[in-house]
Amino acid sequence: MSYWLHSESHADAGPIYVRERGELHVVNPGAGGIQNAPRRARPLRLFSGGFSVELCLNREDDRARRPRTDHFIFTYTKEGNLRYSAKSLFSLVLGYISDNVDHIDSLVGFPEQIAEKLFSAAEARQKFTEPVTGLRALQKFTEAYGSLVLCSLCLRNRYLVISEKLEEIKSFRELTCLDLSCCKLGDEHELLEHLTKEALWSVKRLLLKDNALSDAGLRRMTAPVRVLKKGLQNLLVLDLSCNPKITDVGIGYLLCFKKLSCLDISGTGLKDVNAVVKRIQTQIGLVQSKVPLKEFDHSNCKTEGWAEQTVLQWEQAVMEATKPQEDLRSRTAAQRFYGKTHRIEEVVKCKLVEAETKASGNLQFYKEDVQNCHLPLKKEVAGSHELKNNKKRALAEQERERTSKQKHLCLSVEDWDLLNTY
């Protein structure tokens, strides 16, 4: 290996030095031989004098430049001295996996106790609030553990959470209780269509109060149960109150819920109330309650499961996003104080709807066989004479149903078109 060190002119080249086996030799161009020569005092430089070297790290990753302290637990002794101890290997691995929980392939067969701790660690890092990775991670948990992640979900008056986290809500499986009251979803909402899927076959309590539903929405929601015997066939409690577009025709679609034990149709647009009450009593076996039932009390429905705090995080994120609207409210209050016109109308809450429902009348039904399990707010005393008359009416109605069974089994063209979409 040779290296050019010095040249006085283009014609006459200087000596060439070669290092071989640790010794420095000089090559004489005139003689063509190799001679031993001592090392010169002049220092050899590969770079210029102003050259400098700087170690560059990834500036986007702040954790690479900061010393890691999360591997230790810092505590103070009685004397006030700072003492630190290393974390266990389990906690370190748990923290690392929770930081990368969206990269997990599957959790099927993983122990539930460890999975719950992993879910809590990821929840503390707010991994499930992230737009894309949060949904992917939540789906891995719901596919493996179902009702353990969430068995009951209360979204009463939380229509903003539904609009922002619709896909996350649809990922929950094996729910037994779902409260969607006062959300104004309408007949065409994607979440109501999701209720007919096999993922929510386990729903036993469904509260759809004040959701702008009509007969078309009930027909679409009950089509799988009426024809395919799938969907919400295990439903026990159903609340359809405060939906004035539901008429007598829509109530006829509810007769397919044979397991139904409690029903609330207060505040609906029924034309012949007596005929509807008689039809519900004879075909489903539900008796009208004279007092409000506890089953339709909102306090009984709560969010329960591993993801309870996750739902609260979603709600807090939505509230923070709507904080500028609160400033607008204070501004309009000031305008009202100084005599200006108040143009922004406040959102009608469920309390106003409940007051209108009480004024219109109570149409809540319960099954007599299970009245001990679903007690009303006040005890009801039914005479034995009325029970005998009800049995006679039920037998008469059953004979009528046998003759008109073909009529109920006939499907309309709209029903077939709807079933082809599933």
Side-chain angles (χ1 to χ4, degrees):
M1 179 179 178
S2 63
Y3 187 84
W4 186 274
L5 295 178
H6 179 71
S7 62
E8 295 180 357
S9 62
H10 296 284
D12 188 13
I16 299 176
Y17 294 90
V18 176
R19 182 179 297 276
E20 182 181 1
R21 296 181 181 179
E23 296 181 0
L24 187 63
H25 304 276
V26 60
V27 179
N28 189 352
I34 300 177
Q35 299 177 358
N36 295 333
R39 186 187 298 271
R40 290 192 176 186
R42 182 179 177 180
L44 301 177
R45 292 185 179 180
L46 298 178
F47 305 100
S48 60
F51 184 83
S52 61
V53 179
E54 180 182 0
L55 181 60
C56 297
L57 298 175
N58 187 4
R59 298 184 182 276
E60 297 180 358
D61 190 3
D62 295 335
R63 292 177 299 179
R65 292 182 294 176
R66 292 198 305 261
R68 293 192 62 112
T69 59
D70 55 348
H71 291 175
F72 303 96
I73 302 175
F74 295 91
T75 56
Y76 285 93
T77 60
K78 296 181 179 180
E79 293 78 10
N81 299 326
L82 182 63
R83 186 178 67 178
Y84 64 91
S85 57
K87 291 184 178 181
S88 63
L89 180 60
F90 175 79
S91 60
L92 295 178
V93 174
L94 189 67
Y96 178 79
I97 298 177
S98 60
D99 287 333
N100 303 275
V101 68
D102 56 301
H103 297 290
I104 297 177
D105 292 334
S106 177
L107 288 170
V108 178
F110 200 68
E112 298 176 359
Q113 296 81 358
I114 308 300
E116 184 178 2
K117 295 181 179 180
L118 179 60
F119 189 93
S120 301
E123 188 179 56
R125 291 166 170 80
Q126 296 187 354
K127 289 293 181 179
F128 301 113
T129 58
E130 299 176 1
V132 180
T133 58
L135 174 60
R136 191 186 306 119
L138 190 61
Q139 289 175 347
K140 300 301 180 182
F141 281 95
T142 55
E143 289 174 1
Y145 305 103
S147 60
L148 292 178
V149 178
L150 208 65
C151 62
S152 177
L153 178 59
C154 178
L155 296 174
R156 180 185 176 97
N157 203 19
R158 292 179 174 88
Y159 48 89
L160 292 179
V161 178
I162 295 176
S163 61
E164 293 293 331
K165 298 294 180 181
L166 178 60
E167 295 300 326
E168 285 82 353
I169 294 172
K170 290 169 60 177
S171 66
F172 293 123
R173 299 187 177 187
E174 299 181 11
L175 289 174
T176 57
C177 179
L178 181 59
D179 189 354
L180 300 174
S181 303
C182 307
C183 291
K184 303 289 185 181
L185 299 180
D187 296 331
E188 304 294 333
H189 199 274
E190 191 175 347
L191 185 56
L192 291 179
E193 182 182 355
H194 181 65
L195 291 176
T196 61
K197 304 295 181 182
E198 294 183 359
L200 294 180
W201 62 271
S202 59
V203 173
K204 297 181 179 180
R205 185 178 181 186
L206 180 61
L207 307 180
L208 296 174
K209 179 179 181 178
D210 189 19
N211 271 285
L213 297 177
S214 66
D215 297 340
L218 295 185
R219 179 180 61 85
R220 184 178 295 105
M221 188 175 64
T222 58
V225 183
R226 289 185 286 113
V227 182
L228 302 176
K229 304 301 179 182
K230 294 182 180 180
L232 298 173
Q233 57 181 352
N234 296 320
L235 199 62
L236 298 177
V237 180
L238 179 61
D239 185 2
L240 294 173
S241 60
C242 303
N243 291 288
K245 294 183 180 181
I246 296 178
T247 63
D248 304 22
V249 178
I251 300 301
Y253 296 129
L254 304 179
L255 302 179
C256 63
F257 297 131
K258 301 300 181 181
K259 297 182 180 180
L260 202 63
S261 60
C262 292
L263 175 64
D264 189 0
I265 54 175
S266 306
T268 54
L270 301 181
K271 297 179 180 179
D272 192 351
V273 178
N274 295 328
V276 171
V277 172
K278 183 178 180 180
R279 192 177 182 184
I280 293 175
Q281 182 176 355
T282 55
Q283 296 189 17
I284 309 181
L286 300 182
V287 182
Q288 184 179 3
S289 177
K290 298 180 181 180
V291 294
L293 300 175
K294 286 185 178 181
E295 289 295 333
F296 303 106
D297 188 4
H298 173 66
S299 60
N300 294 332
C301 183
K302 299 178 181 179
T303 302
E304 298 178 355
W306 295 353
E308 180 180 354
Q309 296 298 323
T310 302
V311 178
L312 294 178
Q313 291 176 0
W314 294 345
E315 186 177 1
Q316 291 176 359
V318 171
M319 291 177 62
E320 291 178 359
T322 56
K323 277 185 178 179
Q325 296 181 1
E326 297 179 357
D327 298 338
L328 292 176
R329 289 182 182 178
S330 61
R331 186 178 302 174
T332 54
Q335 291 177 357
R336 185 189 303 173
F337 177 80
Y338 289 106
K340 294 186 178 181
T341 305
H342 181 65
R343 297 181 180 178
I344 302 178
E345 298 181 357
E346 295 182 357
V347 180
V348 179
K349 295 184 179 180
C350 289
K351 294 182 180 179
L352 300 178
V353 180
E354 291 174 359
E356 295 178 358
T357 304
K358 292 180 180 179
S360 61
N362 181 32
L363 288 176
Q364 294 182 354
F365 301 85
Y366 70 97
K367 186 168 292 187
E368 290 181 336
D369 297 337
V370 292
Q371 61 180 348
N372 295 329
C373 300
H374 308 285
L375 291 176
L377 296 179
K378 296 180 181 179
K379 294 183 179 180
E380 294 186 26
V381 180
S384 58
H385 183 66
E386 294 181 358
L387 294 176
K388 293 179 181 179
N389 292 336
N390 293 336
K391 290 181 179 179
K392 292 180 180 180
R393 293 173 184 174
L395 292 175
E397 291 294 334
Q398 286 179 2
E399 292 294 332
R400 294 178 184 176
E401 281 189 15
R402 289 175 184 175
T403 58
S404 61
K405 190 174 182 182
Q406 285 290 345
K407 182 178 179 181
H408 291 290
L409 290 177
C410 293
L411 299 178
S412 61
V413 179
E414 296 178 354
D415 286 338
W416 283 112
D417 293 339
L418 178 64
L419 290 174
N420 290 331
T421 61
Y422 295 103

Short mmCIF file of all heavy atoms in Angstrom, two decimals, residues 154-186:
data_model
loop_
_atom_site.label_atom_id
_atom_site.label_comp_id
_atom_site.label_asym_id
_atom_site.label_seq_id
_atom_site.Cartn_x
_atom_site.Cartn_y
_atom_site.Cartn_z
N CYS A 154 -72.49 1.54 28.38
CA CYS A 154 -73.48 2.60 28.53
C CYS A 154 -73.00 3.82 27.74
O CYS A 154 -71.98 4.43 28.10
CB CYS A 154 -73.67 2.96 30.01
SG CYS A 154 -74.84 4.32 30.27
N LEU A 155 -73.71 4.16 26.68
CA LEU A 155 -73.40 5.33 25.85
C LEU A 155 -74.58 6.29 25.84
O LEU A 155 -74.85 6.95 24.83
CB LEU A 155 -73.05 4.88 24.43
CG LEU A 155 -71.79 4.04 24.28
CD1 LEU A 155 -71.65 3.54 22.86
CD2 LEU A 155 -70.56 4.83 24.69
N ARG A 156 -75.28 6.39 26.91
CA ARG A 156 -76.45 7.27 27.01
C ARG A 156 -76.02 8.72 26.81
O ARG A 156 -75.16 9.24 27.52
CB ARG A 156 -77.10 7.09 28.37
CG ARG A 156 -78.34 7.95 28.61
CD ARG A 156 -78.81 7.77 30.03
NE ARG A 156 -79.94 8.64 30.34
CZ ARG A 156 -81.21 8.28 30.30
NH1 ARG A 156 -81.51 7.05 29.95
NH2 ARG A 156 -82.16 9.12 30.61
N ASN A 157 -76.65 9.38 25.82
CA ASN A 157 -76.40 10.79 25.52
C ASN A 157 -74.95 11.06 25.14
O ASN A 157 -74.45 12.17 25.33
CB ASN A 157 -76.81 11.68 26.70
CG ASN A 157 -77.11 13.10 26.27
OD1 ASN A 157 -77.36 13.36 25.10
ND2 ASN A 157 -77.08 14.02 27.21
N ARG A 158 -74.26 10.06 24.59
CA ARG A 158 -72.86 10.22 24.18
C ARG A 158 -72.75 10.00 22.67
O ARG A 158 -71.99 9.17 22.19
CB ARG A 158 -71.97 9.23 24.93
CG ARG A 158 -71.86 9.51 26.42
CD ARG A 158 -70.99 8.47 27.11
NE ARG A 158 -70.74 8.77 28.50
CZ ARG A 158 -71.54 8.40 29.50
NH1 ARG A 158 -72.62 7.69 29.23
NH2 ARG A 158 -71.25 8.73 30.75
N TYR A 159 -73.52 10.75 21.92
CA TYR A 159 -73.52 10.60 20.46
C TYR A 159 -72.22 11.04 19.84
O TYR A 159 -71.83 10.55 18.77
CB TYR A 159 -74.69 11.38 19.86
CG TYR A 159 -74.83 12.79 20.35
CD1 TYR A 159 -74.17 13.84 19.73
CD2 TYR A 159 -75.61 13.08 21.46
CE1 TYR A 159 -74.28 15.13 20.18
CE2 TYR A 159 -75.73 14.37 21.93
CZ TYR A 159 -75.06 15.40 21.29
OH TYR A 159 -75.17 16.68 21.77
N LEU A 160 -71.48 11.98 20.50
CA LEU A 160 -70.18 12.39 19.97
C LEU A 160 -69.15 11.27 20.09
O LEU A 160 -68.33 11.09 19.20
CB LEU A 160 -69.70 13.64 20.70
CG LEU A 160 -70.50 14.92 20.44
CD1 LEU A 160 -69.94 16.08 21.25
CD2 LEU A 160 -70.49 15.28 18.96
N VAL A 161 -69.21 10.52 21.19
CA VAL A 161 -68.30 9.38 21.35
C VAL A 161 -68.60 8.32 20.30
O VAL A 161 -67.69 7.70 19.74
CB VAL A 161 -68.43 8.80 22.77
CG1 VAL A 161 -67.53 7.58 22.94
CG2 VAL A 161 -68.07 9.86 23.80
N ILE A 162 -69.88 8.11 20.00
CA ILE A 162 -70.25 7.12 18.99
C ILE A 162 -69.74 7.53 17.61
O ILE A 162 -69.22 6.71 16.85
CB ILE A 162 -71.78 6.94 18.96
CG1 ILE A 162 -72.25 6.35 20.29
CG2 ILE A 162 -72.21 6.05 17.80
CD1 ILE A 162 -73.75 6.22 20.40
N SER A 163 -69.85 8.81 17.28
CA SER A 163 -69.39 9.27 15.97
C SER A 163 -67.87 9.23 15.84
O SER A 163 -67.35 8.95 14.76
CB SER A 163 -69.89 10.70 15.72
OG SER A 163 -69.39 11.59 16.71
N GLU A 164 -67.15 9.49 16.93
CA GLU A 164 -65.69 9.51 16.87
C GLU A 164 -65.07 8.12 16.99
O GLU A 164 -64.04 7.84 16.38
CB GLU A 164 -65.13 10.41 17.98
CG GLU A 164 -65.45 11.88 17.82
CD GLU A 164 -64.75 12.49 16.63
OE1 GLU A 164 -63.67 11.99 16.27
OE2 GLU A 164 -65.29 13.44 16.04
N LYS A 165 -65.68 7.23 17.77
CA LYS A 165 -65.12 5.90 18.04
C LYS A 165 -66.08 4.80 17.61
O LYS A 165 -66.27 3.81 18.31
CB LYS A 165 -64.79 5.77 19.53
CG LYS A 165 -63.76 6.76 20.04
CD LYS A 165 -62.40 6.51 19.42
CE LYS A 165 -61.36 7.49 19.93
NZ LYS A 165 -60.04 7.26 19.31
N LEU A 166 -66.67 4.95 16.44
CA LEU A 166 -67.65 3.97 15.99
C LEU A 166 -67.01 2.61 15.73
O LEU A 166 -67.53 1.57 16.15
CB LEU A 166 -68.34 4.48 14.72
CG LEU A 166 -69.37 3.54 14.10
CD1 LEU A 166 -70.50 3.24 15.08
CD2 LEU A 166 -69.93 4.12 12.81
N GLU A 167 -65.87 2.58 15.05
CA GLU A 167 -65.21 1.31 14.75
C GLU A 167 -64.74 0.62 16.02
O GLU A 167 -64.79 -0.62 16.12
CB GLU A 167 -64.04 1.54 13.80
CG GLU A 167 -64.44 2.06 12.43
CD GLU A 167 -65.35 1.10 11.70
OE1 GLU A 167 -65.18 -0.13 11.88
OE2 GLU A 167 -66.24 1.56 10.96
N GLU A 168 -64.27 1.38 17.00
CA GLU A 168 -63.85 0.78 18.27
C GLU A 168 -65.04 0.18 19.00
O GLU A 168 -64.94 -0.91 19.59
CB GLU A 168 -63.18 1.83 19.15
CG GLU A 168 -61.76 2.19 18.72
CD GLU A 168 -61.71 3.20 17.60
OE1 GLU A 168 -62.79 3.54 17.06
OE2 GLU A 168 -60.62 3.66 17.24
N ILE A 169 -66.18 0.87 18.97
CA ILE A 169 -67.37 0.34 19.63
C ILE A 169 -67.86 -0.92 18.92
O ILE A 169 -68.30 -1.88 19.58
CB ILE A 169 -68.47 1.42 19.64
CG1 ILE A 169 -68.02 2.59 20.53
CG2 ILE A 169 -69.78 0.86 20.15
CD1 ILE A 169 -68.94 3.79 20.47
N LYS A 170 -67.77 -0.97 17.63
CA LYS A 170 -68.20 -2.15 16.87
C LYS A 170 -67.28 -3.34 17.11
O LYS A 170 -67.66 -4.49 16.82
CB LYS A 170 -68.25 -1.82 15.38
CG LYS A 170 -69.38 -0.88 15.00
CD LYS A 170 -69.23 -0.37 13.58
CE LYS A 170 -69.23 -1.48 12.58
NZ LYS A 170 -69.16 -0.97 11.19
N SER A 171 -66.07 -3.11 17.61
CA SER A 171 -65.14 -4.21 17.85
C SER A 171 -65.49 -5.00 19.11
O SER A 171 -64.99 -6.13 19.28
CB SER A 171 -63.71 -3.68 17.95
OG SER A 171 -63.55 -2.86 19.10
N PHE A 172 -66.32 -4.45 20.00
CA PHE A 172 -66.68 -5.16 21.23
C PHE A 172 -67.59 -6.34 20.89
O PHE A 172 -68.55 -6.21 20.12
CB PHE A 172 -67.38 -4.23 22.21
CG PHE A 172 -66.49 -3.16 22.77
CD1 PHE A 172 -66.82 -1.82 22.62
CD2 PHE A 172 -65.32 -3.49 23.43
CE1 PHE A 172 -66.00 -0.82 23.12
CE2 PHE A 172 -64.49 -2.50 23.94
CZ PHE A 172 -64.83 -1.17 23.79
N ARG A 173 -67.31 -7.47 21.53
CA ARG A 173 -68.07 -8.68 21.28
C ARG A 173 -68.63 -9.23 22.58
O ARG A 173 -68.13 -8.95 23.67
CB ARG A 173 -67.18 -9.76 20.63
CG ARG A 173 -66.61 -9.34 19.27
CD ARG A 173 -65.90 -10.51 18.63
NE ARG A 173 -65.41 -10.16 17.30
CZ ARG A 173 -64.88 -11.03 16.45
NH1 ARG A 173 -64.77 -12.30 16.80
NH2 ARG A 173 -64.45 -10.64 15.27
N GLU A 174 -69.71 -9.98 22.45
CA GLU A 174 -70.36 -10.67 23.57
C GLU A 174 -70.85 -9.69 24.63
O GLU A 174 -70.78 -9.97 25.82
CB GLU A 174 -69.41 -11.71 24.18
CG GLU A 174 -68.98 -12.78 23.20
CD GLU A 174 -68.06 -13.81 23.84
OE1 GLU A 174 -67.93 -13.79 25.07
OE2 GLU A 174 -67.48 -14.61 23.10
N LEU A 175 -71.36 -8.54 24.20
CA LEU A 175 -71.98 -7.62 25.14
C LEU A 175 -73.32 -8.18 25.60
O LEU A 175 -74.08 -8.75 24.81
CB LEU A 175 -72.20 -6.25 24.48
CG LEU A 175 -70.96 -5.39 24.21
CD1 LEU A 175 -71.35 -4.15 23.43
CD2 LEU A 175 -70.28 -5.00 25.51
N THR A 176 -73.63 -8.01 26.87
CA THR A 176 -74.92 -8.44 27.40
C THR A 176 -75.86 -7.26 27.63
O THR A 176 -77.08 -7.46 27.66
CB THR A 176 -74.73 -9.20 28.72
OG1 THR A 176 -74.04 -8.36 29.65
CG2 THR A 176 -73.92 -10.47 28.49
N CYS A 177 -75.32 -6.06 27.77
CA CYS A 177 -76.14 -4.87 28.00
C CYS A 177 -75.58 -3.73 27.17
O CYS A 177 -74.37 -3.47 27.20
CB CYS A 177 -76.15 -4.49 29.49
SG CYS A 177 -77.13 -3.02 29.86
N LEU A 178 -76.46 -3.04 26.43
CA LEU A 178 -76.06 -1.92 25.59
C LEU A 178 -77.10 -0.81 25.71
O LEU A 178 -78.28 -1.00 25.40
CB LEU A 178 -75.94 -2.38 24.13
CG LEU A 178 -75.51 -1.30 23.12
CD1 LEU A 178 -74.14 -0.74 23.49
CD2 LEU A 178 -75.47 -1.87 21.70
N ASP A 179 -76.66 0.34 26.19
CA ASP A 179 -77.52 1.50 26.39
C ASP A 179 -77.15 2.57 25.38
O ASP A 179 -76.07 3.16 25.46
CB ASP A 179 -77.38 2.03 27.82
CG ASP A 179 -78.41 3.10 28.14
OD1 ASP A 179 -79.16 3.49 27.22
OD2 ASP A 179 -78.47 3.55 29.30
N LEU A 180 -78.04 2.83 24.42
CA LEU A 180 -77.84 3.86 23.40
C LEU A 180 -78.91 4.93 23.50
O LEU A 180 -79.28 5.55 22.49
CB LEU A 180 -77.86 3.23 22.01
CG LEU A 180 -76.79 2.16 21.72
CD1 LEU A 180 -77.02 1.53 20.37
CD2 LEU A 180 -75.40 2.76 21.79
N SER A 181 -79.41 5.18 24.68
CA SER A 181 -80.50 6.13 24.85
C SER A 181 -80.06 7.55 24.54
O SER A 181 -78.92 7.93 24.79
CB SER A 181 -81.03 6.06 26.29
OG SER A 181 -81.43 4.75 26.61
N CYS A 182 -81.01 8.32 23.96
CA CYS A 182 -80.83 9.76 23.72
C CYS A 182 -79.63 10.05 22.83
O CYS A 182 -78.88 11.01 23.08
CB CYS A 182 -80.69 10.51 25.05
SG CYS A 182 -82.01 10.18 26.22
N CYS A 183 -79.44 9.25 21.81
CA CYS A 183 -78.32 9.47 20.88
C CYS A 183 -78.78 9.89 19.48
O CYS A 183 -77.93 10.22 18.65
CB CYS A 183 -77.47 8.20 20.77
SG CYS A 183 -76.54 7.82 22.26
N LYS A 184 -80.08 9.87 19.21
CA LYS A 184 -80.63 10.34 17.93
C LYS A 184 -79.96 9.64 16.74
O LYS A 184 -79.53 10.28 15.78
CB LYS A 184 -80.45 11.85 17.81
CG LYS A 184 -81.07 12.66 18.93
CD LYS A 184 -82.57 12.65 18.87
CE LYS A 184 -83.17 13.55 19.94
NZ LYS A 184 -84.65 13.54 19.91
N LEU A 185 -79.86 8.34 16.78
CA LEU A 185 -79.15 7.61 15.74
C LEU A 185 -79.95 7.52 14.45
O LEU A 185 -79.38 7.61 13.36
CB LEU A 185 -78.80 6.20 16.24
CG LEU A 185 -77.89 6.13 17.47
CD1 LEU A 185 -77.62 4.69 17.85
CD2 LEU A 185 -76.59 6.86 17.23
N GLY A 186 -81.24 7.29 14.53
CA GLY A 186 -82.04 7.15 13.33
C GLY A 186 -82.03 5.72 12.79
O GLY A 186 -81.32 4.84 13.29
#
